[in-house]
Amino acid sequence: MQEPLENLTKEQLLALLEKQEKSLQKEARKLAKVEGDLAKREHRISELEFQLAYYKRLAFGQKRERFEGDKNQMSLPFEMEAEKAEKQEGELKEKLTYERRKRTSAHKGRMALPDHLPVEEIKIYPEGDLTGMVCIGEEVTDELEYEPAKYYIKRYIRYKYAPKNKEGVVIGVLPERVIEKGIPGAGLLASILVDKYQDHLPLYRQMQRFKRAEIPIASSTLEGWTRQSLKIIDILYQYLLEDIRSKGYLQSDESTIKVMDPNKKGKTHKGYYWVHHCPIDGTVLFDYQPGRSREAAKHVLADFKGYLQTDGYVAYDKIGKREGVTHLNCWAHARREFDKAKDNDKERAEKALTFIQKLYAIEASARQRELNPKERKALRLEESLPVINEFGKWLFQQMKQQLVLPKSPIGKAFLYTMNRWDQLSTYLYDGILEIDNN
């Protein structure tokens, strides 16, 4: 039992007060930690609510990242009176009936078939005795038909000749083949590769097709044909690689792709297609890499010099700072950040989207007028530059006045855009450059 305070000495009172002060400090630290944890949880809840709203908009709303200004449209009510709903349903049925009749009467005919297809004519005459009758015309009906691809054996027969003096033998030269001493012809190998890599038909399904045609080919043989064909195609790939590095303007982006895992049957892992496109002549290179590292990007861009247009992924930043490379970013990716932030801060997000919309309207005008690069640069400096300057000033003021929380969705959109401001504005330098990677 603690002694009464009046019985304690001065030293004992000081020790008791010091002990109680330490206890209070410990409780204060616990309370501060709880308050900090609570703030983090509230921030996390806010983030999750924003993500939920965003995913709902993706699932049930408009999919395109398209922004339109306020047109003073009234929102529709969730329910309407029964009598009004019944009347509206009747009017709708009348309109649908009218539209169906109108479409039937204004039918433009079937889709025109392409001219390049071969035509097999089948002539059909009326049944019965046509003696004494005169043909007064014909009706033509076209039908699009399909004949399955056929396998056949291409047999080379080379004749040997020997001179009468029996000195030596001559024989016809066998044409060069894709796989030396192999069974498959070039057409079959091309079909296997197109089916697998263009139409995504796995080799085991192609095996089923061979079985239906009663052609006995082992799976290991089919895999071997594929590997040897790819070695030949790799020569063409290396030429394309050197060609695209010399273009002087590339747009680069990476996209995920599911890849069958040879070590785990039936499982896949995430690989990456690094796509490099030259807008000047439309050249495209697809480069598969198992990862998304800086080394994966360097595989194609190692010796590249010129304009490089990308999103904000950090792997491109070091390449963009290299001598001889001018790095520009993509306005579509910046726009996407503000589009995602509409559920978090509608007013500022739509303000930013309005600025970006003006930039795209100028680009649309340049395309419609078919301006050459020199004319397009002049138009951008006259009309786009003032919009970009005004947009940048507004962004800076909002951040300076601390009107935007940095970790909020709208704050992330602001930081994404401001951190890449110079690269986003670089497209003004040259009329051959595009505003985005789309």
Side-chain angles (χ1 to χ4, degrees), residues 15-27:
L16 180 62
L17 287 172
E18 185 177 354
K19 183 179 178 181
Q20 289 178 342
E21 184 179 5
K22 287 181 179 179
S23 178
L24 287 173
Q25 287 176 352
K26 186 177 180 181
E27 293 299 322

Side-chain angles (χ1 to χ4, degrees), residues 93-152:
K93 286 181 179 178
E94 286 181 13
K95 287 180 180 178
L96 286 172
T97 304
Y98 170 74
E99 284 296 325
R100 286 178 186 140
R101 287 174 182 167
K102 189 171 73 171
R103 286 178 199 162
T104 304
S105 60
H107 193 273
K108 296 181 180 179
R110 294 179 180 175
M111 174 190 70
L113 295 176
D115 294 332
H116 68 272
L117 296 178
V119 177
E120 177 188 344
E121 290 188 352
I122 302 172
K123 297 181 180 181
I124 304 174
Y125 295 94
E127 294 180 358
D129 186 9
L130 303 179
T131 306
M133 301 183 75
V134 178
C135 182
I136 59 172
E138 60 184 27
E139 286 190 13
V140 178
T141 303
D142 287 340
E143 182 180 73
L144 183 62
E145 188 54 279
Y146 170 72
E147 182 179 312
K150 62 180 180 181
Y151 300 104
Y152 65 96

Side-chain angles (χ1 to χ4, degrees), residues 413-426:
F414 269 66
L415 289 173
Y416 181 95
T417 306
M418 293 182 69
N419 289 342
R420 296 162 179 81
W421 192 252
D422 290 341
Q423 288 89 343
L424 286 169
S425 305
T426 301

